Amino acid sequence: KSARARTLVAPVIVSSDNVQYSEDEIISKYSYTDTKVTIGEDGTVTAFPQNSVFEFKTRRRVSRLGLMMVGLGGNNGTTVAAAMYAKKHSLEWQTRTGTHVSNYKGSLTQCGTFRVGTSSEDGTDVYSPLSSLVPMVNPDDMPVSGWDISGRNLADAMDSAQVLEPDLRNKLRPFVDKVVPLPAAFDTDFIADNQLPRADNLIPGQKQEQLEQLRRDIRNFKETQGLDEVVVIWTANSERYSKEIEGVNDTSENLLKAIQGNHPEVSPSTLYAVASILEGAPYVNGSPQNTLVPGCVKLAEELQVFICGDDFKSGQTKMKSVLVDYLIGCGVKVKTMVTYNHLGNNDMYQLTDQVMWKPKSAAKSKVIEDLVEANEVLYPNNEKPDHVVVVKYVPFLGDSKRDVSEYTSETFLDSHYTMIMHNECLDSALCAPLIIDLAVLCELFQRIRVKVQGSDEFKSMHPVLSALGFFMKIPKTAGEEPIVNALNRQRACIENLVKALVGLPAESHLLLPTKCQ
Ligand code: NAD
């Protein structure tokens, strides 16, 4: 009997009336089905399935893309850079378990596959990577740059991060020992005091001068590397929340004025975001602070530049958004979620400051809200599970994150169902592939134009890139768009969107013909 599934990595060409391939573009028609629901005065619910047609145009030529990371010299920044240099130069390294070859495991775009369809030959499921359907940037070809408050070169920064194996670090050293992060925009008020000793690489001057320097940095990187596009990703330390004040950061105009006036509530991360938006570079906020204040979102909307936030969803939170989806999805009532992290990297050290911990704590606590709200059979009257999140700094463990979690639920006839889980992984190995995916997908979204039914104009997608919610703890959505936390729904969104670009239907998971006689 033949295998039930196989993976093909060759480009997939869709043959359908819904798609045309020209030399420059892929033009597709996608029939989007949703159901509108009305609730009558007597409580009757009526559902109306509705179809609308979206047309997509996707440029086939991939931009020459550069990645700029804020926090380049940190654990994530150096790990991303290491993987990209190692892969580009096909580095191999030894550990006690043998020889390892550079790779991007953990990346959805580089190692994930999805079901294209059923083989007409033998009925097997055919899987492909997303990049088989539409061209995507190869991260090996993506120059890396960025800023850091620490002026250590990347080779020394990799040594201090203690993430990579020593043999790999030695092999990378000649490629990165001259690479020094650009001086950073900095404000001691937004970061824990324990980070001040590393702050030796700063842009002088006030916020307006810092903003102008950041803009010049993006332009210089683009020019010197001959790039079409730059994506900027914040992977620096978690800042404190900035206060959202009317007249200061509520509109784009006020925010730009507040920067000119060196207002104390404009955070360094907002400066990076504003600089990116003004330079037309998509900006991703990988930490939980409110970088994307209303004025910043409005600026992105006015200038039609992508923004994406907030806080990478990489480890325990990702697991939570799978496990709770599974339990509630099976009709099991999760009653308590008690989760601990302990690790000893610099990020955790800075989170020992209670002010900096606040946004992280809020982000970690919010990740299941949509799952609970979606089931009032189990959770009537706004009931919620008890959710406790604890993190501890344990220096000896460095980047090795330990996650212990206990979930207690009520199942049949209220019997208790308790699950205890222990995960261990390098924190940066969990996060680095997400940074690569975010850059690759931002570049793809930059090449898409979409026309909604009833309009005669192709426009870019909404500047708030909620389609990348898969990578985010608290996905930032546009306007009234509900937040989706469930990981499977988030993954399906990316998969189905890419399929729509080539006129393929969304995955229904029905496999109907084989289920019928
Ligand atoms: P890290 O402390 O190793 O690196 C952060 C870097 O940012 C440091 O090198 C620091 O010097 C630099 N920095 C601080 N303020 C800066 C500024 N204003 N401008 C430029 N550089 C600045 O931390 P990390 O482990 O690499 O994590 C980075 C961020 O990613 C953290 O905010 C963390 O909360 C977030 N995050 C990480 C994970 C994960 O690693 N699994 C998951 C979710 C979110």
Side-chain angles (χ1 to χ4, degrees), residues 26 34 74 91 109 121 150 259 328 360 366 372 417 426 435 443 449 466 473 501:
I26 305 173
D34 197 12
L91 298 187
T109 59
E121 279 167 26
S150 159
I259 295 172
I328 297 181
K360 194 58 138 189
K366 276 190 185 151
V372 172
Y417 177 16
L426 288 168
I435 295 178
E443 191 282 333
R449 294 289 174 272
S466 58
K473 273 199 200 70
L501 300 180

Side-chain angles (χ1 to χ4, degrees), residues 289-302:
Q289 73 273 344
N290 58 339
T291 302
L292 303 172
V293 288
C296 195
V297 176
K298 287 191 180 129
L299 188 67
E301 285 172 349
E302 283 156 21

